[in-house]
């Protein structure tokens, strides 16, 4: 085991796969000699050469289109979108080309080796153009996988699995944890299964579900609730598309209650999809309405960032309200 922060774990995963797969290319804005705006690709150009790790022009649509072309011709492109807020110019290429390439060619062609990496979320005083959480936009697109890690160990294993998956993957990285999240990470090669949730803490009274940076928030809330005698089962969804209905439903059938936390705005957020599915799967087991603790339905507000965030206190209060229903 080595002590790493999340950036180091991501960098390690990229280097491991580039060593094994000479068809893998890493590219995006400033990812070459500069190592990316957060330094996630630091040293890769020097180690693997400028033909395998290189800068692109400032054109997200062009980055995604270039990635599609490379993947369609047998390469393994890992394209970085510098901030998830800027993924929208690439939206057409991702949802209409990457996601549909295999289907529309009748499986004659595919871009299955393609991974988009992008940092998402707030908590860094980045304002409304560097703080958004757009993961739900991509979960309604058949043909894409959507993955979000919570810590360095998870980031490395999930990223290696994403790069090797035979489907295009959008890999959202919680940037406020890039240097803040530090932990033991296995040396060498390993993967975490995509589409499989992780039960982080066993409990009996309520299931608390989140992903990415919000995991540390809900774990704090669960600690607060434990002081009131409330036993929380905490689950990290990890993959939003496909998502692990079975694990979540099994937990809710045991606890009878569910709270979902995510940083994206409430309306249209992925919590709504989870709530609808769990209501269908677990209706007769539910002891209270499914609760959602999410971001506000506003543009991301720099000056009111603290008020916007679905923090541990909001989550704790929602746990108590759900228990007292």
């Amino acid at each position: 085991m080595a002590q790493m922060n999340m950036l180091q774990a991501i960098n390690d995963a990229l280097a491991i796969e580039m060593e094994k797969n000479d068809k893998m290319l890493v590219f995006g804005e400033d990812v070459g000699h500069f190592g990316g705006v957060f330094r996630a690709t630091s040293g890769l150009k020097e180690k693997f050469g400028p033909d395998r790790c290189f800068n692109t022009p400032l054109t997200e649509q062009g980055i995604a289109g270039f990635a599609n072309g490379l993947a369609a011709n047998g390469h393994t492109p890992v394209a970085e979108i510098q901030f998830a807020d800027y993924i929208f110019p690439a939206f057409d290429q991702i949802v209409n080309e990457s996601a549909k390439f295999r289907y529309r060619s009748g499986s004659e062609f595919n871009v299955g080796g393609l991974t988009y990496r992008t940092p998402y979320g707030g908590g860094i005083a980045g304002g409304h153009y560097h703080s958004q959480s757009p993961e739900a936009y991509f979960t309604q697109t058949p043909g894409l996988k959507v993955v979000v890690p919570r810590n360095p160990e998870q980031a490395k294993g999930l990223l290696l699995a994403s790069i090797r998956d035979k489907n295009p993957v959008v890999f959202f990285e919680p940037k406020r944890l890039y240097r803040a999240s530090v932990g033991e990470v296995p040396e060498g090669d390993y993967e975490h299964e995509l589409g499989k949730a992780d039960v982080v803490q066993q409990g009996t009274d309520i299931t608390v579900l989140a992903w990415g940076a919000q995991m540390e928030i809900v774990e704090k809330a669960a600690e607060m609730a434990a002081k009131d005698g409330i036993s929380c089962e905490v689950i990290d969804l990890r993959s939003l598309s496909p998502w692990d209905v079975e694990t979540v439903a099994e937990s809710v059938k045991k606890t009878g209650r569910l709270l979902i936390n995510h940083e994206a705005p409430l309306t249209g957020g992925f919590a709504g999809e989870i709530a609808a599915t769990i209501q269908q799967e677990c209706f007769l087991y539910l002891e209270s309405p499914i609760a959602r603790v999410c971001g506000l339905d506003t543009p991301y507000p720099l000056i009111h960032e603290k008020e916007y965030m679905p923090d541990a206190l909001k989550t704790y209060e929602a746990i108590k309200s759900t228990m007292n229903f």
Side-chain angles (χ1 to χ4, degrees):
M1 293 283 189
Q3 283 286 120
M4 293 185 182
N5 63 31
M6 186 176 283
L7 282 172
Q8 291 167 326
I10 289 166
N11 184 276
D12 193 31
L14 294 170
I16 285 171
E17 190 60 18
M18 290 181 85
E19 286 274 13
K20 290 192 168 188
N21 179 2
D22 61 9
K23 292 277 192 180
M24 178 171 155
L25 306 173
V26 173
F27 52 90
E29 296 164 9
D30 301 318
V31 305
H33 177 72
F34 193 59
V37 69
F38 294 104
R39 306 300 188 270
T41 56
S42 182
L44 297 182
K45 179 183 177 182
E46 290 74 17
K47 187 171 184 179
F48 298 102
D51 291 336
R52 297 188 60 200
C53 180
F54 49 88
N55 296 338
T56 65
L58 304 183
T59 167
E60 286 77 16
Q61 184 181 25
I63 292 168
F66 182 54
N68 281 324
L70 284 168
N73 283 280
H75 290 278
T76 305
V78 178
E80 178 180 303
I81 304 297
Q82 195 171 81
F83 287 89
D85 312 63
Y86 298 134
I87 205 167
F88 298 111
F91 196 73
D92 176 61
Q93 283 291 325
I94 296 171
V95 304
N96 279 333
E97 303 300 338
S98 302
K100 299 173 174 63
F101 212 88
R102 180 184 284 117
Y103 177 83
R104 70 184 178 90
S105 71
S107 228
E108 288 291 317
F109 311 103
N110 71 84
V111 294
L114 169 56
T115 304
Y116 296 101
R117 290 181 44 251
T118 189
Y120 83 97
I124 65 163
H128 60 285
Y129 283 135
H130 297 85
S131 303
Q132 296 175 75
S133 299
E135 64 271 18
Y137 286 99
F138 298 93
T139 58
Q140 202 186 14
T141 305
L144 292 178
K145 292 191 175 183
V146 178
V147 179
V148 193
R150 73 175 182 271
N151 63 28
E153 186 272 337
Q154 292 286 313
K156 181 178 175 181
L158 289 169
L159 181 55
L160 282 167
S162 296
I163 294 168
R164 294 165 182 168
D165 197 86
K166 298 305 179 188
N167 299 279
V169 178
V170 185
F171 191 85
F172 286 97
E173 300 167 3
K175 60 179 174 285
R176 82 167 182 258
L177 300 186
Y178 268 158
R179 292 182 176 84
S181 180
V182 178
E184 289 190 338
V185 178
E187 296 180 4
D189 194 339
Y190 67 93
E191 297 180 29
H192 288 305
E193 182 183 354
L194 303 187
K196 186 68 177 172
D198 185 22
V199 180
V200 175
Q201 175 181 306
Q202 295 282 344
T204 56
D205 295 329
I206 183 171
T207 301
V208 182
L209 178 67
W211 50 87
Q214 290 306 106
M215 282 303 299
E216 66 172 8
I217 301 300
V218 300
E219 287 179 279
K220 284 180 188 174
E223 287 177 16
M224 296 164 72
K227 294 175 182 176
D228 294 336
I230 300 170
S231 173
C232 298
E233 181 141 300
V234 179
I235 299 178
D236 176 8
L237 197 57
R238 299 198 295 189
S239 292
L240 276 65
S241 181
W243 70 280
D244 189 354
V245 177
E246 183 179 351
T247 294
V248 179
E250 184 179 327
S251 175
V252 174
K253 286 176 182 177
K254 177 176 69 172
T255 65
R257 302 172 182 88
L258 174 62
L259 181 149
I260 310 155
N261 178 304
H262 64 59
E263 194 177 316
L266 176 72
T267 302
F270 197 63
E273 175 63 27
I274 295 170
T277 301
I278 294 302
Q279 179 178 317
Q280 185 175 13
E281 295 288 323
C282 306
F283 184 75
L284 296 178
Y285 295 85
L286 290 171
E287 300 287 346
S288 66
I290 295 170
R292 293 180 291 165
V293 181
C294 306
L296 304 179
D297 287 340
T298 69
Y300 195 95
L302 174 60
I303 195 168
H304 296 303
E305 184 168 54
K306 188 175 185 298
E307 288 74 17
Y308 175 92
M309 296 296 281
D311 62 15
L313 183 58
K314 292 178 184 178
T315 306
Y316 166 62
E317 293 293 342
I319 289 171
K320 290 195 297 181
S321 294
T322 302
M323 291 300 302
N324 293 330
F325 178 79

